[in-house]
Structures are given as structure tokens and as C-alpha cells.
Amino acid sequence: MKGITFIGMAGVGKSAIGRTMASIIGWKFIDMDKLILEKQSISHHEYMKQNGGKALVQLEETYTLELDLTDTIFAPPGSVIYSPKSIEKIKRESIVVYLEAGPDIILKHLGDNLYKNGIVGLEEKGLAGVMAERIPLYEKYADFTFHSGDQTKEEMAHLVIKGLIKAGIKFEHAR
């Protein structure tokens, strides 16, 4: 069965909600930030600091193309939308869920860690500029959109599950 990929800005809860949802439905969960840390022995942010944003997007693409997204919840970094090859694979192998949130929620969740999160383009464009660039892409590639606000990760996971079931998505093949 097709997996589910969460897209959206850093701080919207892709990893927390994805991990919780995977636990509820019995699917595996892949967090690209953790995968990069495991394979590169440095964080997503450190990799970007050392190699630049374009190199980070290329690394994310390399790892994304290696994944099997069947019965998997995938939480890639927000910059995944800059890779046509990654998006093509994600769209082919998963249902794409955009977790939308305003800058107030992102700043609340990331706080002082905003500039330590490895957000491609943040240094040059600021949060408003990055969001203005990315939001049309998230909306373009999303199969479903859910607003991520002050809900708990459990509330959001259940909201997404219920929304997908209501739309006809079935999870009977969950492990």
C-alpha cells in the first residue's frame, strides 16, 4: 500500500505527528533528519553549514530515492520540494499530506532553534521569504492539507487518520 509523506515547513510537526501516526496504524516511520545523522554522523543542520543548501537538497534526494515508502510514514525536511526527483518518487509511492502552519506556530515550536534547524534559504530570505517560496510548492504537491496549530501530536495524528479515512484511504494492510 502507498505510504504517507508529510511535507511542510520545519516546526509544523512532520516528525512528531508522523512518528505518532505510524505507531497508531502500525507502519514504519522514517525521519530524514535522523537518517542523515545516522549515515553522515552529523546533523542535517551541520551538513548544510559545511556543504551548503544545494548539497543538502542533493543528499536528501539521494537518500529519498533509496527508500521504499510502502506502508511507511515519511517525514522529509521541508526542502524536499526543491528536488523534482524526490517529489516524483514521493508522489508515486505515497499519499502527500501537507501540514500547514503560520509563522507564529513555526516560531513557537522552533523558538531559538529556528536558525539551528537547517532550513535551506533561511539565512538569505528569512522565514517569510522561505515560506512565500515554499507554500505554493507544498500546495501544488499535496494530496491533502491539514492545519497544524496548537494541537498535540496525538490530536493531529488522529485528525489526519480520520481525514484520510473519510477520504477513502484504508489502512487495513498496516503491520
Side-chain angles (χ1 to χ4, degrees):
M1 168 171 200
K2 276 188 163 190
I4 296 169
T5 296
F6 286 109
I7 60 172
M9 289 295 298
V12 298
K14 296 182 302 284
S15 294
I17 296 162
R19 187 176 299 106
T20 301
M21 189 170 156
S23 176
I24 292 167
I25 65 173
W27 284 9
K28 70 180 174 181
F29 173 71
I30 299 172
D31 181 336
M32 180 61 76
D33 289 351
K34 287 194 176 186
L35 185 66
I36 288 171
L37 181 60
E38 289 169 15
K39 292 189 175 228
Q40 297 294 316
S41 300
I42 59 172
S43 72
H44 180 261
H45 174 67
E46 286 299 317
Y47 188 89
M48 187 176 83
K49 272 179 46 179
Q50 291 177 16
N51 301 287
K54 286 183 182 181
L56 177 60
V57 171
Q58 181 59 53
L59 181 70
E60 294 166 359
E61 177 182 287
T62 298
Y63 291 150
T64 298
L65 295 177
E66 293 173 355
L67 297 174
D68 175 4
L69 299 178
T70 306
D71 294 342
T72 299
I73 303 213
F74 178 40
S79 53
V80 72
I81 49 112
Y82 294 138
S83 166
K85 288 181 184 177
S86 292
I87 288 298
E88 181 182 310
K89 177 188 177 62
I90 287 167
K91 290 289 290 175
R92 185 175 59 248
E93 296 183 18
S94 66
I95 297 160
V96 180
V97 174
Y98 169 35
L99 295 177
E100 178 272 329
D104 55 327
I105 296 296
I106 292 166
L107 290 171
K108 179 179 176 183
H109 290 175
L110 296 180
D112 293 338
N113 291 322
L114 179 65
Y115 283 90
K116 297 176 186 166
N117 212 299
I119 300 173
V120 173
L122 186 64
E123 294 282 340
E124 304 84 29
K125 301 170 189 158
L127 183 58
V130 171
M131 290 182 74
E133 181 177 87
R134 291 185 185 184
I135 287 171
L137 296 171
Y138 294 142
E139 291 172 344
K140 175 182 176 180
Y141 297 124
D143 297 311
F144 298 93
T145 299
F146 293 90
H147 179 73
S148 180
D150 287 326
Q151 307 94 327
T152 66
K153 61 186 177 186
E154 291 82 9
E155 289 169 337
M156 275 303 300
H158 285 288
L159 180 72
V160 172
I161 291 168
K162 287 177 186 173
L164 294 177
I165 289 171
K166 187 175 181 181
I169 308 298
K170 297 181 184 347
F171 299 105
E172 71 265 354
H173 293 103
R175 297 175 212 182

Short mmCIF file of all heavy atoms in Angstrom, two decimals, residues 45-108:
data_model
loop_
_atom_site.label_atom_id
_atom_site.label_comp_id
_atom_site.label_asym_id
_atom_site.label_seq_id
_atom_site.Cartn_x
_atom_site.Cartn_y
_atom_site.Cartn_z
N HIS A 45 21.51 20.09 9.97
CA HIS A 45 21.96 21.48 10.06
C HIS A 45 23.47 21.60 9.84
O HIS A 45 23.94 22.46 9.09
CB HIS A 45 21.57 22.07 11.41
CG HIS A 45 22.11 23.43 11.67
ND1 HIS A 45 21.72 24.54 10.95
CD2 HIS A 45 23.04 23.88 12.54
CE1 HIS A 45 22.37 25.60 11.38
NE2 HIS A 45 23.17 25.23 12.34
N GLU A 46 24.24 20.73 10.49
CA GLU A 46 25.70 20.77 10.35
C GLU A 46 26.12 20.44 8.92
O GLU A 46 27.05 21.04 8.38
CB GLU A 46 26.38 19.80 11.33
CG GLU A 46 26.38 20.29 12.76
CD GLU A 46 27.12 21.61 12.93
OE1 GLU A 46 28.21 21.79 12.35
OE2 GLU A 46 26.59 22.48 13.65
N TYR A 47 25.43 19.47 8.30
CA TYR A 47 25.73 19.14 6.91
C TYR A 47 25.53 20.37 6.03
O TYR A 47 26.36 20.68 5.17
CB TYR A 47 24.87 17.97 6.43
CG TYR A 47 25.29 17.46 5.07
CD1 TYR A 47 26.25 16.47 4.96
CD2 TYR A 47 24.78 18.02 3.90
CE1 TYR A 47 26.68 16.03 3.70
CE2 TYR A 47 25.20 17.59 2.65
CZ TYR A 47 26.15 16.59 2.56
OH TYR A 47 26.58 16.16 1.33
N MET A 48 24.43 21.09 6.25
CA MET A 48 24.15 22.28 5.44
C MET A 48 25.20 23.37 5.71
O MET A 48 25.66 24.02 4.77
CB MET A 48 22.76 22.83 5.72
CG MET A 48 22.38 23.96 4.77
SD MET A 48 20.71 24.56 4.98
CE MET A 48 20.94 25.70 6.33
N LYS A 49 25.58 23.55 6.96
CA LYS A 49 26.60 24.55 7.29
C LYS A 49 27.92 24.24 6.59
O LYS A 49 28.59 25.13 6.09
CB LYS A 49 26.82 24.61 8.80
CG LYS A 49 25.91 25.56 9.51
CD LYS A 49 26.09 25.61 11.01
CE LYS A 49 27.51 25.69 11.49
NZ LYS A 49 27.63 25.75 12.96
N GLN A 50 28.28 22.97 6.54
CA GLN A 50 29.55 22.57 5.94
C GLN A 50 29.53 22.55 4.42
O GLN A 50 30.53 22.83 3.77
CB GLN A 50 29.97 21.18 6.45
CG GLN A 50 30.35 21.15 7.90
CD GLN A 50 30.69 19.75 8.38
OE1 GLN A 50 30.92 18.84 7.59
NE2 GLN A 50 30.70 19.57 9.69
N ASN A 51 28.38 22.20 3.84
CA ASN A 51 28.32 21.93 2.40
C ASN A 51 27.37 22.82 1.60
O ASN A 51 27.39 22.78 0.38
CB ASN A 51 27.92 20.46 2.17
CG ASN A 51 28.90 19.52 2.82
OD1 ASN A 51 30.01 19.34 2.35
ND2 ASN A 51 28.50 18.93 3.95
N GLY A 52 26.53 23.56 2.28
CA GLY A 52 25.59 24.45 1.60
C GLY A 52 24.23 23.82 1.38
O GLY A 52 24.07 22.60 1.44
N GLY A 53 23.25 24.68 1.11
CA GLY A 53 21.87 24.24 0.93
C GLY A 53 21.66 23.34 -0.27
O GLY A 53 20.93 22.36 -0.20
N LYS A 54 22.32 23.65 -1.38
CA LYS A 54 22.15 22.83 -2.59
C LYS A 54 22.67 21.41 -2.36
O LYS A 54 22.06 20.44 -2.80
CB LYS A 54 22.85 23.46 -3.79
CG LYS A 54 22.12 24.67 -4.32
CD LYS A 54 22.80 25.24 -5.55
CE LYS A 54 22.05 26.47 -6.02
NZ LYS A 54 22.61 27.08 -7.20
N ALA A 55 23.80 21.31 -1.67
CA ALA A 55 24.37 19.98 -1.37
C ALA A 55 23.44 19.21 -0.43
O ALA A 55 23.30 17.99 -0.58
CB ALA A 55 25.76 20.13 -0.75
N LEU A 56 22.81 19.90 0.51
CA LEU A 56 21.88 19.23 1.41
C LEU A 56 20.67 18.70 0.64
O LEU A 56 20.27 17.54 0.84
CB LEU A 56 21.42 20.19 2.52
CG LEU A 56 20.39 19.60 3.49
CD1 LEU A 56 20.94 18.37 4.21
CD2 LEU A 56 19.94 20.65 4.48
N VAL A 57 20.12 19.49 -0.24
CA VAL A 57 18.98 19.03 -1.05
C VAL A 57 19.39 17.82 -1.89
O VAL A 57 18.64 16.86 -2.02
CB VAL A 57 18.44 20.18 -1.93
CG1 VAL A 57 17.41 19.66 -2.94
CG2 VAL A 57 17.82 21.28 -1.06
N GLN A 58 20.61 17.82 -2.42
CA GLN A 58 21.11 16.69 -3.21
C GLN A 58 21.24 15.44 -2.33
O GLN A 58 20.88 14.34 -2.74
CB GLN A 58 22.45 17.02 -3.85
CG GLN A 58 23.01 15.91 -4.71
CD GLN A 58 22.11 15.49 -5.84
OE1 GLN A 58 21.68 16.33 -6.63
NE2 GLN A 58 21.78 14.22 -5.94
N LEU A 59 21.75 15.61 -1.12
CA LEU A 59 21.88 14.48 -0.20
C LEU A 59 20.51 13.93 0.17
O LEU A 59 20.30 12.70 0.16
CB LEU A 59 22.63 14.91 1.07
CG LEU A 59 22.86 13.82 2.10
CD1 LEU A 59 23.89 12.80 1.58
CD2 LEU A 59 23.32 14.43 3.43
N GLU A 60 19.57 14.81 0.46
CA GLU A 60 18.20 14.38 0.77
C GLU A 60 17.62 13.60 -0.40
O GLU A 60 16.96 12.57 -0.21
CB GLU A 60 17.31 15.60 1.06
CG GLU A 60 17.68 16.36 2.31
CD GLU A 60 17.02 17.73 2.39
OE1 GLU A 60 16.28 18.13 1.47
OE2 GLU A 60 17.27 18.41 3.39
N GLU A 61 17.88 14.08 -1.61
CA GLU A 61 17.38 13.40 -2.80
C GLU A 61 17.97 12.00 -2.91
O GLU A 61 17.26 11.02 -3.17
CB GLU A 61 17.73 14.21 -4.05
CG GLU A 61 17.32 13.55 -5.35
CD GLU A 61 17.73 14.37 -6.56
OE1 GLU A 61 17.10 15.41 -6.80
OE2 GLU A 61 18.68 13.94 -7.26
N THR A 62 19.28 11.87 -2.72
CA THR A 62 19.94 10.57 -2.80
C THR A 62 19.30 9.58 -1.84
O THR A 62 18.96 8.45 -2.22
CB THR A 62 21.45 10.72 -2.49
OG1 THR A 62 22.02 11.57 -3.48
CG2 THR A 62 22.15 9.37 -2.49
N TYR A 63 19.11 10.00 -0.59
CA TYR A 63 18.53 9.09 0.40
C TYR A 63 17.05 8.82 0.13
O TYR A 63 16.58 7.70 0.32
CB TYR A 63 18.74 9.63 1.81
CG TYR A 63 20.18 9.60 2.26
CD1 TYR A 63 20.67 10.55 3.14
CD2 TYR A 63 21.07 8.64 1.80
CE1 TYR A 63 22.00 10.54 3.57
CE2 TYR A 63 22.40 8.61 2.20
CZ TYR A 63 22.85 9.56 3.09
OH TYR A 63 24.16 9.54 3.51
N THR A 64 16.31 9.83 -0.32
CA THR A 64 14.89 9.64 -0.62
C THR A 64 14.72 8.61 -1.73
O THR A 64 13.86 7.73 -1.64
CB THR A 64 14.23 10.97 -1.02
OG1 THR A 64 14.31 11.88 0.08
CG2 THR A 64 12.77 10.79 -1.41
N LEU A 65 15.54 8.69 -2.77
CA LEU A 65 15.41 7.77 -3.91
C LEU A 65 15.73 6.32 -3.52
O LEU A 65 15.28 5.40 -4.20
CB LEU A 65 16.30 8.23 -5.06
CG LEU A 65 15.91 9.58 -5.68
CD1 LEU A 65 16.89 9.96 -6.78
CD2 LEU A 65 14.48 9.59 -6.20
N GLU A 66 16.45 6.12 -2.42
CA GLU A 66 16.78 4.77 -1.96
C GLU A 66 15.66 4.14 -1.12
O GLU A 66 15.69 2.93 -0.86
CB GLU A 66 18.05 4.81 -1.10
CG GLU A 66 19.31 5.18 -1.85
CD GLU A 66 20.52 5.37 -0.94
OE1 GLU A 66 20.38 5.30 0.30
OE2 GLU A 66 21.60 5.60 -1.48
N LEU A 67 14.70 4.91 -0.67
CA LEU A 67 13.70 4.44 0.27
C LEU A 67 12.58 3.64 -0.40
O LEU A 67 12.22 3.91 -1.54
CB LEU A 67 13.06 5.62 1.01
CG LEU A 67 13.98 6.46 1.89
CD1 LEU A 67 13.21 7.67 2.42
CD2 LEU A 67 14.55 5.63 3.02
N ASP A 68 12.03 2.70 0.35
CA ASP A 68 10.80 2.01 -0.02
C ASP A 68 9.72 2.63 0.87
O ASP A 68 9.75 2.47 2.09
CB ASP A 68 10.91 0.51 0.24
CG ASP A 68 9.61 -0.24 -0.01
OD1 ASP A 68 8.62 0.38 -0.46
OD2 ASP A 68 9.58 -1.45 0.26
N LEU A 69 8.78 3.35 0.28
CA LEU A 69 7.78 4.08 1.06
C LEU A 69 6.50 3.27 1.31
O LEU A 69 5.57 3.78 1.91
CB LEU A 69 7.46 5.41 0.37
CG LEU A 69 8.65 6.36 0.24
CD1 LEU A 69 8.24 7.63 -0.50
CD2 LEU A 69 9.25 6.69 1.60
N THR A 70 6.48 2.01 0.89
CA THR A 70 5.31 1.17 1.11
C THR A 70 5.05 1.01 2.61
O THR A 70 5.97 0.73 3.38
CB THR A 70 5.54 -0.23 0.49
OG1 THR A 70 5.90 -0.08 -0.87
CG2 THR A 70 4.30 -1.10 0.62
N ASP A 71 3.79 1.21 3.02
CA ASP A 71 3.40 1.07 4.43
C ASP A 71 4.34 1.83 5.36
O ASP A 71 4.71 1.34 6.43
CB ASP A 71 3.32 -0.40 4.84
CG ASP A 71 2.22 -1.16 4.12
OD1 ASP A 71 1.29 -0.52 3.58
OD2 ASP A 71 2.27 -2.40 4.11
N THR A 72 4.75 3.02 4.93
CA THR A 72 5.71 3.83 5.67
C THR A 72 5.19 5.25 5.79
O THR A 72 4.61 5.79 4.85
CB THR A 72 7.06 3.85 4.93
OG1 THR A 72 7.56 2.52 4.85
CG2 THR A 72 8.08 4.73 5.62
N ILE A 73 5.44 5.84 6.94
CA ILE A 73 5.21 7.28 7.10
C ILE A 73 6.58 7.93 7.02
O ILE A 73 7.50 7.56 7.75
CB ILE A 73 4.50 7.59 8.42
CG1 ILE A 73 3.19 6.81 8.46
CG2 ILE A 73 4.35 9.09 8.59
CD1 ILE A 73 2.03 7.40 9.14
N PHE A 74 6.71 8.88 6.11
CA PHE A 74 7.99 9.52 5.82
C PHE A 74 7.90 10.99 6.18
O PHE A 74 6.98 11.69 5.75
CB PHE A 74 8.31 9.33 4.33
CG PHE A 74 9.57 9.97 3.84
CD1 PHE A 74 10.73 9.96 4.61
CD2 PHE A 74 9.61 10.55 2.59
CE1 PHE A 74 11.90 10.55 4.14
CE2 PHE A 74 10.78 11.13 2.10
CZ PHE A 74 11.92 11.13 2.89
N ALA A 75 8.88 11.46 6.94
CA ALA A 75 8.99 12.87 7.31
C ALA A 75 10.29 13.43 6.74
O ALA A 75 11.34 13.35 7.38
CB ALA A 75 8.94 13.03 8.82
N PRO A 76 10.24 13.96 5.52
CA PRO A 76 11.44 14.58 4.95
C PRO A 76 11.57 16.02 5.43
O PRO A 76 10.59 16.60 5.93
CB PRO A 76 11.15 14.53 3.45
CG PRO A 76 9.67 14.68 3.36
CD PRO A 76 9.12 13.96 4.58
N PRO A 77 12.73 16.62 5.27
CA PRO A 77 12.85 18.05 5.57
C PRO A 77 11.96 18.86 4.62
O PRO A 77 11.61 18.40 3.53
CB PRO A 77 14.34 18.35 5.30
CG PRO A 77 15.01 17.02 5.38
CD PRO A 77 14.00 16.03 4.88
N GLY A 78 11.64 20.08 5.02
CA GLY A 78 10.79 20.93 4.20
C GLY A 78 11.37 21.23 2.83
O GLY A 78 10.64 21.50 1.88
N SER A 79 12.69 21.14 2.71
CA SER A 79 13.35 21.44 1.44
C SER A 79 13.21 20.33 0.41
O SER A 79 13.66 20.50 -0.74
CB SER A 79 14.83 21.74 1.69
OG SER A 79 15.45 20.69 2.42
N VAL A 80 12.58 19.22 0.75
CA VAL A 80 12.41 18.12 -0.21
C VAL A 80 11.70 18.60 -1.47
O VAL A 80 11.93 18.07 -2.56
CB VAL A 80 11.67 16.93 0.43
CG1 VAL A 80 10.20 17.23 0.65
CG2 VAL A 80 11.83 15.66 -0.39
N ILE A 81 10.91 19.64 -1.36
CA ILE A 81 10.16 20.12 -2.51
C ILE A 81 11.04 20.79 -3.56
O ILE A 81 10.59 21.06 -4.66
CB ILE A 81 9.00 21.06 -2.10
CG1 ILE A 81 9.48 22.13 -1.14
CG2 ILE A 81 7.85 20.31 -1.50
CD1 ILE A 81 9.44 23.47 -1.75
N TYR A 82 12.31 21.02 -3.23
CA TYR A 82 13.24 21.58 -4.19
C TYR A 82 13.84 20.52 -5.11
O TYR A 82 14.59 20.85 -6.02
CB TYR A 82 14.37 22.33 -3.48
CG TYR A 82 13.94 23.56 -2.73
CD1 TYR A 82 14.46 23.83 -1.49
CD2 TYR A 82 13.03 24.46 -3.27
CE1 TYR A 82 14.08 24.97 -0.79
CE2 TYR A 82 12.64 25.59 -2.58
CZ TYR A 82 13.17 25.85 -1.34
OH TYR A 82 12.79 26.97 -0.65
N SER A 83 13.53 19.25 -4.87
CA SER A 83 14.08 18.17 -5.68
C SER A 83 12.97 17.52 -6.51
O SER A 83 12.17 16.76 -5.99
CB SER A 83 14.72 17.11 -4.79
OG SER A 83 14.95 15.93 -5.53
N PRO A 84 12.93 17.81 -7.82
CA PRO A 84 11.90 17.18 -8.66
C PRO A 84 11.94 15.65 -8.60
O PRO A 84 10.89 15.00 -8.61
CB PRO A 84 12.23 17.69 -10.07
CG PRO A 84 12.95 18.99 -9.84
CD PRO A 84 13.74 18.78 -8.58
N LYS A 85 13.13 15.06 -8.55
CA LYS A 85 13.24 13.59 -8.50
C LYS A 85 12.64 13.05 -7.20
O LYS A 85 11.95 12.03 -7.20
CB LYS A 85 14.69 13.14 -8.63
CG LYS A 85 15.26 13.30 -10.01
CD LYS A 85 16.69 12.81 -10.06
CE LYS A 85 17.32 13.04 -11.43
NZ LYS A 85 18.73 12.64 -11.44
N SER A 86 12.91 13.72 -6.08
CA SER A 86 12.35 13.28 -4.80
C SER A 86 10.83 13.39 -4.82
O SER A 86 10.12 12.46 -4.42
CB SER A 86 12.90 14.12 -3.64
OG SER A 86 14.27 13.86 -3.45
N ILE A 87 10.33 14.52 -5.28
CA ILE A 87 8.88 14.73 -5.31
C ILE A 87 8.21 13.72 -6.24
O ILE A 87 7.15 13.17 -5.91
CB ILE A 87 8.54 16.18 -5.73
CG1 ILE A 87 8.88 17.13 -4.59
CG2 ILE A 87 7.08 16.32 -6.14
CD1 ILE A 87 8.10 16.90 -3.30
N GLU A 88 8.81 13.43 -7.38
CA GLU A 88 8.24 12.44 -8.30
C GLU A 88 8.11 11.08 -7.60
O GLU A 88 7.08 10.43 -7.69
CB GLU A 88 9.13 12.33 -9.53
CG GLU A 88 8.62 11.36 -10.57
CD GLU A 88 9.56 11.24 -11.75
OE1 GLU A 88 9.95 12.29 -12.30
OE2 GLU A 88 9.90 10.10 -12.11
N LYS A 89 9.15 10.65 -6.91
CA LYS A 89 9.12 9.38 -6.20
C LYS A 89 8.08 9.41 -5.08
O LYS A 89 7.28 8.48 -4.92
CB LYS A 89 10.49 9.05 -5.61
CG LYS A 89 10.48 7.76 -4.79
CD LYS A 89 11.77 7.53 -4.06
CE LYS A 89 11.77 6.30 -3.19
NZ LYS A 89 11.58 5.04 -3.88
N ILE A 90 8.09 10.49 -4.30
CA ILE A 90 7.14 10.62 -3.18
C ILE A 90 5.71 10.58 -3.69
O ILE A 90 4.86 9.89 -3.13
CB ILE A 90 7.45 11.91 -2.39
CG1 ILE A 90 8.74 11.73 -1.58
CG2 ILE A 90 6.28 12.31 -1.51
CD1 ILE A 90 9.30 13.02 -1.01
N LYS A 91 5.42 11.31 -4.78
CA LYS A 91 4.06 11.32 -5.32
C LYS A 91 3.66 9.93 -5.86
O LYS A 91 2.51 9.54 -5.73
CB LYS A 91 3.95 12.36 -6.45
CG LYS A 91 4.02 13.79 -6.02
CD LYS A 91 2.79 14.26 -5.28
CE LYS A 91 1.58 14.38 -6.17
NZ LYS A 91 0.37 14.72 -5.42
N ARG A 92 4.62 9.22 -6.43
CA ARG A 92 4.34 7.89 -6.99
C ARG A 92 4.10 6.86 -5.89
O ARG A 92 3.25 5.99 -6.02
CB ARG A 92 5.52 7.47 -7.88
CG ARG A 92 5.32 6.16 -8.62
CD ARG A 92 6.46 5.84 -9.59
NE ARG A 92 7.75 5.76 -8.91
CZ ARG A 92 8.76 6.63 -9.05
NH1 ARG A 92 8.65 7.67 -9.86
NH2 ARG A 92 9.90 6.46 -8.40
N GLU A 93 4.84 6.94 -4.79
CA GLU A 93 4.82 5.89 -3.77
C GLU A 93 4.09 6.25 -2.49
O GLU A 93 4.03 5.42 -1.58
CB GLU A 93 6.26 5.49 -3.43
CG GLU A 93 7.00 4.87 -4.59
CD GLU A 93 8.39 4.41 -4.23
OE1 GLU A 93 8.71 4.24 -3.03
OE2 GLU A 93 9.19 4.21 -5.17
N SER A 94 3.57 7.48 -2.40
CA SER A 94 2.90 7.83 -1.15
C SER A 94 1.79 8.85 -1.36
O SER A 94 1.71 9.49 -2.40
CB SER A 94 3.92 8.37 -0.13
OG SER A 94 4.47 9.60 -0.54
N ILE A 95 0.97 8.95 -0.36
CA ILE A 95 -0.04 10.00 -0.28
C ILE A 95 0.66 11.17 0.39
O ILE A 95 1.29 11.02 1.44
CB ILE A 95 -1.23 9.52 0.58
CG1 ILE A 95 -1.90 8.32 -0.11
CG2 ILE A 95 -2.22 10.65 0.83
CD1 ILE A 95 -2.74 7.48 0.82
N VAL A 96 0.58 12.35 -0.21
CA VAL A 96 1.31 13.50 0.29
C VAL A 96 0.38 14.37 1.14
O VAL A 96 -0.64 14.86 0.65
CB VAL A 96 1.93 14.31 -0.86
CG1 VAL A 96 2.71 15.51 -0.33
CG2 VAL A 96 2.84 13.42 -1.71
N VAL A 97 0.77 14.54 2.40
CA VAL A 97 0.00 15.32 3.35
C VAL A 97 0.80 16.56 3.72
O VAL A 97 1.89 16.46 4.28
CB VAL A 97 -0.33 14.49 4.62
CG1 VAL A 97 -1.02 15.35 5.66
CG2 VAL A 97 -1.20 13.28 4.26
N TYR A 98 0.24 17.71 3.40
CA TYR A 98 0.86 18.99 3.73
C TYR A 98 0.36 19.44 5.10
O TYR A 98 -0.84 19.60 5.31
CB TYR A 98 0.50 20.02 2.66
CG TYR A 98 0.84 21.46 2.94
CD1 TYR A 98 1.97 21.82 3.67
CD2 TYR A 98 0.03 22.47 2.46
CE1 TYR A 98 2.27 23.16 3.89
CE2 TYR A 98 0.32 23.81 2.68
CZ TYR A 98 1.44 24.15 3.41
OH TYR A 98 1.74 25.47 3.63
N LEU A 99 1.29 19.59 6.03
CA LEU A 99 0.96 20.13 7.35
C LEU A 99 1.23 21.63 7.28
O LEU A 99 2.37 22.07 7.27
CB LEU A 99 1.81 19.46 8.44
CG LEU A 99 1.55 17.98 8.65
CD1 LEU A 99 2.49 17.42 9.69
CD2 LEU A 99 0.10 17.73 9.06
N GLU A 100 0.18 22.39 7.19
CA GLU A 100 0.25 23.83 7.01
C GLU A 100 0.20 24.51 8.37
O GLU A 100 -0.56 24.12 9.25
CB GLU A 100 -0.93 24.27 6.13
CG GLU A 100 -1.03 25.73 5.86
CD GLU A 100 -1.81 26.50 6.90
OE1 GLU A 100 -2.75 25.94 7.52
OE2 GLU A 100 -1.46 27.67 7.13
N ALA A 101 1.05 25.52 8.55
CA ALA A 101 1.03 26.32 9.77
C ALA A 101 1.58 27.70 9.45
O ALA A 101 2.40 27.86 8.55
CB ALA A 101 1.87 25.66 10.87
N GLY A 102 1.13 28.67 10.20
CA GLY A 102 1.62 30.03 10.02
C GLY A 102 2.95 30.23 10.70
O GLY A 102 3.41 29.40 11.49
N PRO A 103 3.59 31.36 10.42
CA PRO A 103 4.90 31.64 11.02
C PRO A 103 4.85 31.71 12.54
O PRO A 103 5.83 31.36 13.21
CB PRO A 103 5.31 32.99 10.41
CG PRO A 103 4.09 33.55 9.79
CD PRO A 103 3.15 32.42 9.52
N ASP A 104 3.71 32.09 13.10
CA ASP A 104 3.59 32.15 14.56
C ASP A 104 3.77 30.76 15.19
O ASP A 104 4.47 30.60 16.19
CB ASP A 104 2.25 32.76 14.98
CG ASP A 104 1.04 32.05 14.37
OD1 ASP A 104 1.15 31.53 13.23
OD2 ASP A 104 -0.02 32.01 15.02
N ILE A 105 3.17 29.75 14.58
CA ILE A 105 3.29 28.37 15.09
C ILE A 105 4.72 27.86 14.88
O ILE A 105 5.30 27.24 15.78
CB ILE A 105 2.27 27.44 14.39
CG1 ILE A 105 0.84 27.85 14.74
CG2 ILE A 105 2.54 25.97 14.73
CD1 ILE A 105 0.47 27.72 16.21
N ILE A 106 5.29 28.13 13.73
CA ILE A 106 6.67 27.69 13.46
C ILE A 106 7.63 28.31 14.47
O ILE A 106 8.46 27.62 15.06
CB ILE A 106 7.06 28.03 12.00
CG1 ILE A 106 6.23 27.16 11.05
CG2 ILE A 106 8.55 27.82 11.77
CD1 ILE A 106 6.26 27.61 9.61
N LEU A 107 7.49 29.61 14.70
CA LEU A 107 8.37 30.29 15.67
C LEU A 107 8.13 29.78 17.08
O LEU A 107 9.08 29.62 17.86
CB LEU A 107 8.17 31.80 15.59
CG LEU A 107 8.69 32.46 14.32
CD1 LEU A 107 8.23 33.91 14.24
CD2 LEU A 107 10.20 32.36 14.23
N LYS A 108 6.88 29.48 17.41
CA LYS A 108 6.56 28.95 18.74
C LYS A 108 7.21 27.57 18.94
O LYS A 108 7.78 27.30 19.99
CB LYS A 108 5.04 28.84 18.90
CG LYS A 108 4.60 28.29 20.23
CD LYS A 108 3.08 28.24 20.31
CE LYS A 108 2.64 27.59 21.60
NZ LYS A 108 1.18 27.47 21.67
#
